Amino acid sequence: MTRKEILTQSAINRIRQGNGFDAIRYFFAFALIAFHFTVATGTTCPWYVPGGDKVVMAFFVIAGFLVVYSYLRNDNLKHYVRQRCVRILPAYVFVVVAAFLFLSLVSSFSISRYFSHPQAYKYLVSNLLMLNFLEPDLPGVFTANPLQCVNGSLWYIKVIVMFYIAVPVIVWMLRRMNKALVLTLLYAASVAYIVVFDHLYESTGNILYWQLQHQLGGNMIYLLSGTIMLVYFDCLIRHIKWILPLALILFIAYDQFGVGPLRHVAPLSFAAVIIGIAFVCKPLFALRGKTNNTYSLFLIHFPVIQIVVHFGWHQQSMLFAFCLALLATIALSLSILSHHLIEKPFLHKP
């Protein structure tokens, strides 16, 4: 079976013409910085900031569209694994190790006590293995902050890596079975997963069930929503004038009321809005082809905000503290975590 049985040539041509995904990712990356600043400081933002759930939903939707599309363009498994590893691992490992080393300078423990404390090594190993929930804290670090965790964004990476692993299997199924049936069953399985673990958490209060609900099974609904928009891209674009406003109304209704079946339709409606805007709003195309540093912004912003809070700058001026955290995040992203310094060396290795 050929790739065209999943994507028509007209869909491939339309996708190649351009999109606004880079601009959308920058919007949500900066929205996440603002949201985490309010969470880390225990304040409210004077202007509207999308909640963390919506930001993560957007990133998952875009990943569900673009990663599957990338695999369909070149389904050589070795190439796919290499590309995904290069995209995720170098910057991720750097951030985890850098936090382990340099946050010893802001720890309430002495340097010798810090580096001899088992919690420090539990943090290092757990996070390198992408098991952030096992040890999110470092010894004596940020203990006076409203939040003690070093980097509250790292949980996302484990989920996205698990999705990367699932993509070849999903594509294999789509090529050999009825596409609509495969996507419906996978989507329904994710909904069932959410319902079960929601019930377990609400009935027992055990935080473990809440944590499990936010793993791949619970977030697959967003990733699949992006994939569904890709698989039915021709239909989406053909009827975008009707689909986009209807999807926006449905998502706003969920955002305001968030009850019943709306919750399980919201990922599809949000995906239609994100993907639709990415392809019909041509001013957003301007950033296409430019180096995209949203991943490094995503990785580095949380510990930067925590450092700003640690030194109490937010108590003197909230605006100054936010601007300082934002500028420091951008500077570190462009200098230390730059795509050119972290990813490109691995891309050119044989």
Side-chain angles (χ1 to χ4, degrees):
M1 294 187 178
T2 65
R3 184 177 300 118
K4 290 183 180 179
E5 293 182 357
I6 295 179
L7 287 182
T8 66
Q9 190 58 51
S10 63
I12 294 171
N13 292 340
R14 181 66 181 83
I15 293 171
R16 285 175 176 171
Q17 287 175 10
N19 59 69
F21 283 126
D22 285 335
I24 292 172
R25 284 190 288 195
Y26 271 114
F27 169 79
F28 282 107
F30 286 120
L32 187 63
I33 294 172
F35 172 75
H36 277 156
F37 181 83
T38 62
V39 172
T41 56
T43 59
T44 56
C45 189
W47 60 88
Y48 173 74
V49 174
D53 58 335
K54 298 182 187 67
V55 173
V56 171
M57 192 188 300
F59 282 129
F60 279 139
V61 162
I62 294 171
F65 186 97
L66 292 180
V67 175
V68 174
Y69 176 67
S70 175
Y71 185 72
L72 289 173
R73 288 176 58 198
N74 185 348
D75 58 3
N76 179 286
L77 191 58
K78 183 178 179 181
H79 173 80
Y80 171 77
V81 171
R82 177 177 173 76
Q83 289 296 107
R84 294 301 102 198
C85 287
V86 167
R87 181 72 184 96
I88 288 289
L89 294 180
Y92 178 86
V93 171
F94 180 89
V95 166
V96 171
V97 174
F100 166 75
L101 293 174
F102 294 110
L103 290 181
S104 62
L105 301 176
V106 299
S107 173
S108 59
F109 291 9
S110 66
I111 295 294
S112 59
R113 186 185 174 196
Y114 175 91
F115 283 109
S116 63
H117 201 289
Q119 185 185 26
Y121 298 95
K122 184 180 180 182
Y123 172 87
L124 181 63
V125 174
S126 298
N127 284 272
L128 286 176
L129 294 175
M130 299 185 182
L131 300 174
N132 176 261
F133 65 94
L134 292 178
E135 186 51 78
D137 307 336
L138 280 166
V141 174
F142 305 142
T143 53
N145 288 19
L147 297 176
Q148 283 75 55
C149 64
V150 171
N151 197 332
S153 299
L154 296 187
W155 70 271
Y156 167 91
I157 306 301
K158 172 177 76 281
V159 175
I160 205 68
V161 167
M162 292 173 70
F163 177 66
Y164 288 169
I165 295 170
V167 164
V169 178
I170 293 172
V171 170
W172 182 89
M173 293 170 65
L174 290 173
R175 284 178 172 163
R176 286 159 179 78
M177 306 175 196
N178 181 278
K179 294 184 295 185
L181 179 61
V182 169
L183 293 170
T184 300
L185 289 176
L186 290 174
Y187 196 93
S190 184
V191 170
Y193 182 97
I194 293 169
V195 170
V196 168
F197 281 100
D198 264 355
H199 172 73
L200 290 172
Y201 174 62
E202 290 173 3
S203 60
T204 66
N206 190 334
I207 192 67
L208 175 63
Y209 294 126
W210 182 87
Q211 292 174 331
L212 289 172
Q213 197 260 20
H214 288 79
Q215 301 309 306
L216 178 63
N219 286 299
M220 182 62 86
I221 193 172
Y222 309 122
L223 293 153
L224 283 171
S225 294
T227 302
I228 290 169
M229 294 304 124
L230 173 67
V231 172
Y232 294 100
F233 185 77
D234 282 326
C235 179
L236 174 68
I237 295 302
R238 188 180 307 118
H239 303 290
I240 194 65
K241 290 182 179 180
W242 302 102
I243 292 176
L244 190 55
L246 176 61
L248 186 59
I249 291 170
L250 284 173
F251 186 75
I252 291 173
Y254 158 74
D255 190 41
Q256 294 298 312
F257 306 108
V259 293
L262 279 177
R263 178 184 179 186
H264 306 307
V265 175
L268 281 172
S269 61
F270 192 54
V273 172
I274 293 293
I275 307 303
I277 290 174
F279 284 96
V280 302
C281 190
K282 293 189 176 180
L284 299 182
F285 292 17
L287 290 180
R288 185 172 183 262
K290 307 290 192 301
T291 299
N292 189 297
N293 285 308
T294 52
Y295 179 53
S296 57
L297 290 172
F298 181 90
L299 285 178
I300 197 66
H301 77 275
F302 200 96
V304 170
I305 292 171
Q306 286 285 65
I307 290 172
V308 169
V309 174
H310 169 80
F311 286 107
W313 288 316
H314 66 295
Q315 296 174 345
Q316 301 174 28
S317 170
M318 200 64 68
L319 179 60
F320 169 76
F322 175 73
C323 291
L324 179 62
L326 180 62
L327 293 174
T329 298
I330 294 171
L332 289 170
S333 171
L334 294 176
S335 57
I336 299 175
L337 286 180
S338 167
H339 164 83
H340 297 284
L341 295 177
I342 298 293
E343 294 176 21
K344 275 196 172 181
F346 292 90
L347 286 169
H348 293 301
K349 285 186 177 180

